[in-house]
Every structure is written in structure tokens, then in C-alpha cells.
Amino acid sequence: MPVFKLQKKDSATSARAGELTTDHGKIETPIFMPVGTAGAVKAVHIPELKNDTNAQIILGNTYHLYLRPGLEIIKEAGGLHKFNGWDRPILTDSGGYQVYSLSNTRNLTENGVVFNSHIDGSKHTFTPENVMDTQRIIGADIMMAFDECTPYPCDYNYAKNSLDLTHRWLDRCFKHFSETEPLYGYEQSLFPIVQGSVYKDLRKKSAEFVASKGADGNAIGGLSVGEPHEMMYEMTELVCSILPEDKPRYLMGVGTPVNILEGIALGIDMFDCVMPTRNARHGVLYTKNGIINIKNQKWENDFSVLDENGTSFVDKQYSKAYLRHLIKSREMLGAMIASLHNLAFYLWLVKEARIKIIENEFGPWKDNMVKQLGLRL
Amino acid sequence: MPVFKLQKKDSATSARAGELTTDHGKIETPIFMPVGTAGAVKAVHIPELKNDTNAQIILGNTYHLYLRPGLEIIKEAGGLHKFNGWDRPILTDSGGYQVYSLSNTRNLTENGVVFNSHIDGSKHTFTPENVMDTQRIIGADIMMAFDECTPYPCDYNYAKNSLDLTHRWLDRCFKHFSETEPLYGYEQSLFPIVQGSVYKDLRKKSAEFVASKGADGNAIGGLSVGEPHEMMYEMTELVCSILPEDKPRYLMGVGTPVNILEGIALGIDMFDCVMPTRNARHGVLYTKNGIINIKNQKWENDFSVLDENGTSFVDKQYSKAYLRHLIKSREMLGAMIASLHNLAFYLWLVKEARIKIIENEFGPWKDNMVKQLGLRL
């Protein structure tokens, strides 16, 4: 079973450095997990992901993988690691979020969710039990509980009732998880998810309920869904104060480079977000000096390298003017370059944060970086 | 100026092995040139193009580059090599073909072609003279003459009048070429193009006219535009019998792996085609055993490597089932994998052909390969 070792705590903030050991290798935290929705991180080759971005763990989406290629294929392949050739750790979400965001029609009951595929309209049901089975088949090192992710804004009573349902589902997830076995000879963990929208009492109740499960790691969901950043930080701080210190904490779907540093300062160890790859496809580059919108005319004849501080091969291989041309021309190579750059930057950022935590210099470094990272270049 | 050295002639066919020296390096012929329409080979990184496909020369499209990023940017960059970072030879077409195939409105006169941009509808004029200037600015090692590429089928009288115009334009191209200088300190060649549709007398007349120019190399255009393959081969054979033996012969826009081997057998040294990359994006893979349509259900649970005989890293990195999933899911990674595979295969094929020519075994090898390459796997 995955073991988390807390290696160092920052004195000025709640930041921590740790190490999570799985059967597919170690993950040094804090860590960012590139999103590989359909078993592939968009526009990035697997060897590039390993060698150029230095990703230690990637995320797969249960909803997408369940629909395509489907469980039979993944099972026959011997799990997602064998299917896509990524031999480091994988985390899968529970599919809940995608059911709510992608499916046009869905029907939520005590039992689970009935929804129509966004691909062909076919009807499917997700329950806490079958989502555990699905993640067993995918073979993720870290599985996530099936929950309802409330939108923002969300009425208090809806959030309260939804939270109660999420908690009842959590019990069913753990029960089914404990009654089933991994299929491919390596261990899997189940992380529960704290919900409760932006209501302190609900978040507190949920964090306490989740903490009581004694899981290998714990997640915070339902944030970064449109609420102000300050509210997200407030909820994160509250929840982190309740979740156990000796287990990794995962803030789901977050976020910008600034969000990530602030999350680390609040005690978060794991992050995932589509932002570095999705925004890359629109020409947005994150750098240590700030944000570049490569479509801006100012880059048209800037023939300097993409990012002189960059850590991936694209940063010195291509110029800003060339990338601008590719993005404007909708050349696939543009998305490939920008995606690889952004992921390498995100991974550099969390690695640097880890170094600063270990050196007990995280607080002032973070304050200084946050000023830079948000600048529009 | 580019120098062609004829190294070996096959005894059973008209195939030749040669070496074309340019200021950006040597090209071993027969060669296939990946198409980099807008200054980028679609879905392939520049280092992959060099190291994984072993491309020796790539093609750029004058029409696309003229419209985007535009000549000012390319000139300021110091030419296309500096702009995209490809430091091996580049050939540019003249833009004529794209004016006819992409622009909705065009007006052909003795002077040139007035057309509307397919991007924003803006009005532009290409003449033999300004197309030479444009290719000087792009800085291609090999520039192509501005011609009219007739469609198929094409009325004899239209083809005859068009050919006369193409020949008058060719004189203007050479005149302007000789009156202008390269801009970036390295030599450029101008290749004339034989036209004449599928009419033997017109092809003969055109080949004789083109041969009389004493150019560094000669091209055959207006084929592979819909005519039967046998007709293409017949015209190619006729033209090759007239074009000088000591200069490279370039069959434009051709073709399938079988077309390329047959073209080599007829005495062609250079090829380009969008087929390996365009068809890759639709899941068509070329292999030495035949053609794979990866969308076919038969590959759904074929977890064997993409191509055990393949020469690029993708061939052993990814499985057929995984690529099928990516292509079906329209993941960019699918196009990236298939494009790299196909280009590496095309480059392997011409390299192998060259070896067989040098060993004087090309004829029987070609006959055997042609049977294999066309099979549907």
C-alpha cells in the first residue's frame, strides 16, 4: 500500500515536502500531475513526458476511459499502464466531475448517476460500487472516491444534502474497495474527497468525516469551480487544518501557477489541472517571469528562444516568433511545443518549491514568485 | 551552386543513386521530402524530423508562407531556416499549385495570377518575377519555377495554351532569377517544371524546352492530380527519357510508397507528398508489409508494437490498440505517432531503394516490394 513519508515542514507556512511510495515508483511532493484524460496527455509523447517534463505521476479520467477505449480493452491490455506505456504512477478520478460537466442528461439518485455518453448518447450508470470496479480495471495506483462535485454558486441546502449523499457514497466506496482486490499484482489506494462547497461548517464536517476513514491520502474537491480565489484558499486552509498531517493532501483541479504555490503554502501536496495543456493550445505560456500570450503582436518578430530559463528541449529549440506563427496558423506543432513547455514549467515550479521547503526558504520565495508569476509579459 | 553527382545506375531499370550537394548539406538520392507547408511538418518536432525520420530535405509552401507569417517576418528572421530552426536543405514550391487548389477566386493572365487569400479573402498577385523574389526571401536551397498546374482531365487545347504560358513564364523566372541574388550568403538553385497534362506531344515539347535551360535540376509537375497511375508512369517515363541524365529529376506531389518505387524505377530522384502525414491523421499507416487502417476493429485488441520493423521510436513505444484508441478519440498524440511513423517509413523506403540500386539489385527488390506495399493488412 502507498506509504507517505513527511520529510520536512516549512516554518513560515504550512508547506511540506514529502515522499509517496507506490508500486510504480516514488513521488516527491509537492507534485503536479499532468492530466491524461483519455490515457494520453494531449500533444505530448510518453517519452517526452518522462524525460522532458519529468512528470512523476499522471492522471487518467475514469469517465473518458470507461467510454473509450472501454473496460474490456483496458483489462485485456493488462491495465492502463500497459495500454499506454506509462510505467510510473497513475491516479484516476472517479468520473463524477465529467458526468456533471460533459453529459447533457444525467439523473442523480441515491444509487448513483444515470447519464448519456457525450460521444454517442448511449445510456450508462455510475455507482460507488461500479466506479471502484472500473478503477480496479484501469489499475490506477491511486483511485478516487465517487462523489458529487457541486457547482459554484451552490445553494446551502443543496450543498448540505449533496454532502450527505457524498458521505453515504464514500462509505459504499470504501466497503466495495475493501471487498475487492487489485487485478494486476500491485497495490491500489483509495483517496476520499472532502466536499461542502464554500460553506465552512460543511467543509469542517466533511473533512472530519473524511479524516475518520484513515485513508492513504485525502483529497479536496469542489473548489476551483468558479469561486473567488480567496474563498478557495479559505476552504483549503480550513480543511488542511483537519486532515491528518501524515497523509498526502490533494487539491483537485487546481490551478494556475500562483494557485499552486498558495496551495502548497496551505499544506497541499498534490495538484492536477488541464490548464497548462489546454491554455497551451490557445498560445498561453507560463514562465517564471510571468505569462506570455504568444498571439499578441509584440511577439511577431521576437526571434529569441521560447524561454531561456526553460527546462524542456522546446524552450531553446524554437523562437517566440515561430511559436506565434504556428499557433496563429493552427499548426499542431504549436500545441505540441506550448504543451510541453507549460508542463515542464509546472513540474519545475513544484520541484523548486520542494527544494525551498527543504531549505526552509519557501515562505519568502513563494511571496516573491507569486508577484512574478501573475505578470502579463 | 547545388551539384549533382550520379553515383550508380541500376541495370534492370532506369533507377539511379546520386548525391545532391547544397550549402545546407548533402542529399542522398533517391529521396523523399516531407512537406512542411507552413514552415512546419505537421505534428512532428524538428529534432524528431532530423533524428527519427532522418529527413535530409523538407519542402515549404510559398503560398502559405507568403500569406503567413508573411515575407517581412521571414526576412527579419534571416530566412526560413533561421525561422523554423531546420538547418538542412529546404525546397520551396512556387505557390502556383496552392493558388489553384486553395483560393476560391483567381484570375489568370499573361502577367500572372490574381487571387484571394483562403485565410482572410485579401487580394494578392503572383507573377513569375515576384515569386522568384519571394523564394529569395524564404531562402530555399531549391526554388521552383512559377507555372500553371493543369487539372485532370484537361482539354488538349487548354493544356497546350497553358503549357505555352508556363514556358513563357519559365523564361521570365530564369531572367529574374539571374538578375537577383541570394539574400543570406548561401546559393540557391531554380528548378524548371515540365507540364503538358497527359498529352505525349506536349510533355515531349515541354521536357525538351525545360532540358534546354541547363538547370541544376528538373521537375515534372501536373501529375498525380487524378489521372490513372499507368498514365502517370507513361508520362514520367517519356519525360525522363528527355531530361538530362546528369541532373536530379523531381516528380512533384508523388505519392504512395508504390508510386515512389515505380517512379524511382523510371529514373526519378526526388519526391514530395502530403500523403504520409495527411493520411496518418486519418489513421493510415504504411509499413513494409502493407497498409494498416488503424481504425479497423481488428486492431482494437492488438497490443503488439506499432511496427516491429519500424525505424522511429514510436514504432516500439506504442501498440496498435493504443494508437487505434488515440485516433478514434481524436487525440493529437495519435496524429503525432502516425505521422512520425509514416515519415520514418517513407525515408526508410527511399534509403533502402538507394542501397538496392548501389548493389544493383533494385529491379527484383522493387517488384517484390510493390506486391507487399499495396496489401491491405
Side-chain angles (χ1 to χ4, degrees), chain A residues 119-178:
Chain A
I119 299 167
D120 62 5
S122 56
K123 193 172 158 181
H124 303 270
T125 304
F126 276 178
T127 66
E129 290 79 15
N130 75 15
V131 164
M132 293 303 101
D133 292 336
T134 294
Q135 292 183 85
R136 288 287 194 202
I137 291 170
I138 295 173
D141 299 271
I142 300 172
M143 298 164 45
M144 298 304 300
F146 189 59
D147 62 346
E148 184 184 7
C149 178
T150 50
Y152 179 83
C154 180
D155 172 70
Y156 180 83
N157 279 326
Y158 187 94
K160 184 173 183 300
N161 291 331
S162 166
L163 182 62
D164 290 339
L165 179 69
T166 284
H167 287 176
R168 290 193 298 277
W169 282 1
L170 182 58
D171 285 335
R172 287 166 59 189
C173 285
F174 270 112
K175 180 167 187 291
H176 199 73
F177 178 74
S178 69

Side-chain angles (χ1 to χ4, degrees), chain B residues 20-313:
Chain B
L20 181 61
T21 303
T22 76
D23 285 350
H24 282 99
K26 288 183 179 177
I27 302 157
E28 294 186 319
T29 64
I31 192 68
F32 176 79
M33 305 181 280
V35 178
T37 306
V41 175
K42 290 193 195 303
V44 181
H45 276 295
I46 296 280
E48 291 172 347
L49 204 55
K50 293 178 74 167
N51 305 325
D52 290 292
T53 78
N54 297 308
Q56 298 181 45
I57 171 172
I58 63 173
L59 190 141
N61 284 122
T62 290
Y63 171 88
H64 288 91
L65 292 164
Y66 163 84
L67 290 177
R68 206 164 46 189
L71 300 184
E72 276 184 42
I73 300 294
I74 294 178
K75 193 169 185 176
E76 205 178 334
L80 183 57
H81 291 88
K82 288 275 167 42
F83 186 59
N84 70 4
W86 173 259
D87 56 9
R88 295 181 187 171
I90 293 176
L91 178 149
T92 40
D93 67 4
S94 67
Y97 181 78
Q98 278 74 28
V99 168
Y100 309 126
S101 61
L102 289 177
S103 176
N104 289 321
T105 52
R106 57 187 177 272
N107 186 19
L108 193 78
T109 67
E110 184 67 31
N111 182 52
V113 182
V114 179
F115 64 95
N116 291 94
S117 159
H118 75 290
I119 299 168
D120 63 4
S122 56
K123 193 172 160 183
H124 303 270
T125 304
F126 276 177
T127 67
E129 290 79 15
N130 73 17
V131 163
M132 294 301 102
D133 292 335
T134 293
Q135 293 183 86
R136 287 289 194 200
I137 290 170
I138 295 173
D141 298 271
I142 300 172
M143 299 164 44
M144 298 303 299
F146 189 61
D147 62 346
E148 184 184 7
C149 177
T150 50
Y152 178 83
C154 180
D155 171 72
Y156 181 83
N157 279 327
Y158 187 95
K160 184 174 183 300
N161 291 332
S162 167
L163 182 63
D164 290 340
L165 179 67
T166 283
H167 287 175
R168 290 192 298 276
W169 282 0
L170 182 58
D171 285 334
R172 287 166 56 189
C173 284
F174 271 111
K175 180 167 188 290
H176 199 72
F177 177 75
S178 70
E179 291 168 356
T180 54
E181 293 285 332
L183 302 180
Y184 310 116
Y186 52 84
E187 293 294 321
Q188 297 180 279
S189 283
L190 173 61
F191 282 19
I193 303 171
V194 174
Q195 289 288 351
S197 187
V198 294
Y199 302 106
K200 285 189 186 178
D201 62 323
L202 299 185
R203 284 285 172 184
K204 180 168 180 289
K205 176 181 164 186
S206 186
E208 286 167 352
F209 185 77
V210 158
S212 75
K213 298 297 171 185
D216 296 335
N218 301 290
I220 308 175
L223 292 175
S224 200
V225 291
E227 78 285 359
H229 283 170
E230 286 314 315
M231 214 173 248
M232 171 171 78
Y233 298 144
E234 193 183 3
M235 295 298 133
T236 301
E237 185 170 19
L238 171 66
V239 171
C240 283
S241 74
I242 299 167
L243 291 179
E245 191 180 73
D246 61 346
K247 294 294 163 61
R249 300 167 185 150
Y250 164 29
L251 183 55
M252 302 181 79
V254 174
T256 66
V258 168
N259 292 158
I260 286 175
L261 291 192
E262 296 294 4
I264 291 172
L266 297 171
I268 297 294
D269 308 292
M270 301 165 72
F271 302 85
D272 80 284
C273 194
V274 294
M275 201 173 269
T277 42
R278 180 176 294 167
N279 288 354
R281 298 195 293 278
H282 298 290
V284 175
L285 300 182
Y286 299 98
T287 78
K288 64 186 288 188
N289 297 318
I291 300 166
I292 291 176
N293 182 344
I294 205 76
K295 285 185 179 172
N296 284 348
Q297 192 158 4
K298 65 180 292 191
W299 309 113
E300 189 178 43
N301 57 355
D302 186 331
F303 302 108
S304 65
V305 297
L306 206 56
D307 184 359
E308 59 186 9
N309 301 308
T311 60
S312 74
F313 82 86

Side-chain angles (χ1 to χ4, degrees), chain A residues 228-242:
Chain A
H229 284 171
E230 286 314 315
M231 215 172 246
M232 171 171 80
Y233 299 145
E234 193 183 3
M235 294 298 132
T236 301
E237 186 171 19
L238 170 67
V239 171
C240 284
S241 73
I242 298 167

